[in-house]
Amino acid sequence: TVNPLEFIERIIKVSSNEWDIVLDCYLWSWTTAVACKKLNRNFIGIEINPEYVELAESRLREIDKIKQQRLF
């Protein structure tokens, strides 16, 4: 199921520390990966559908842009 980003962020915050590795075996919408990137966690994700991988890469690039803007 697709979960709201805020919900996944809350789970990641209470179950890991910055720079820990989070494993998501069924990435699908990549919400976990996005949350990890926002919260300075590393992640390992498994996804076999190339369309979802392309979507995910796009979402992760957006997070990188936002984080870069905050640095300047």
Side-chain angles (χ1 to χ4, degrees):
T1 64
V2 177
N3 292 300
L5 181 59
E6 295 79 20
F7 175 72
I8 299 299
E9 286 178 353
R10 198 170 343 136
I11 292 171
I12 290 171
K13 281 181 186 179
V14 299
S15 63
S16 66
N17 297 307
E18 282 195 348
W19 312 116
D20 281 353
I21 299 173
V22 176
L23 172 65
D24 187 344
C25 297
Y26 306 98
L27 279 174
W28 191 55
S29 68
W30 287 64
T31 305
T32 302
V34 171
C36 286
K37 194 123 178 134
K38 286 179 67 179
L39 299 172
N40 295 320
R41 270 56 169 188
N42 296 299
F43 64 90
I44 297 172
I46 300 168
E47 177 57 63
I48 62 170
N49 186 329
E51 291 175 25
Y52 288 125
V53 173
E54 289 176 25
L55 171 66
E57 289 172 345
S58 173
R59 289 183 72 188
L60 295 174
R61 279 192 297 274
E62 288 301 313
I63 296 299
D64 282 338
K65 287 179 188 176
I66 291 167
K67 288 178 94 173
Q68 286 294 342
Q69 289 172 354
R70 289 182 186 163
L71 293 175
F72 299 107

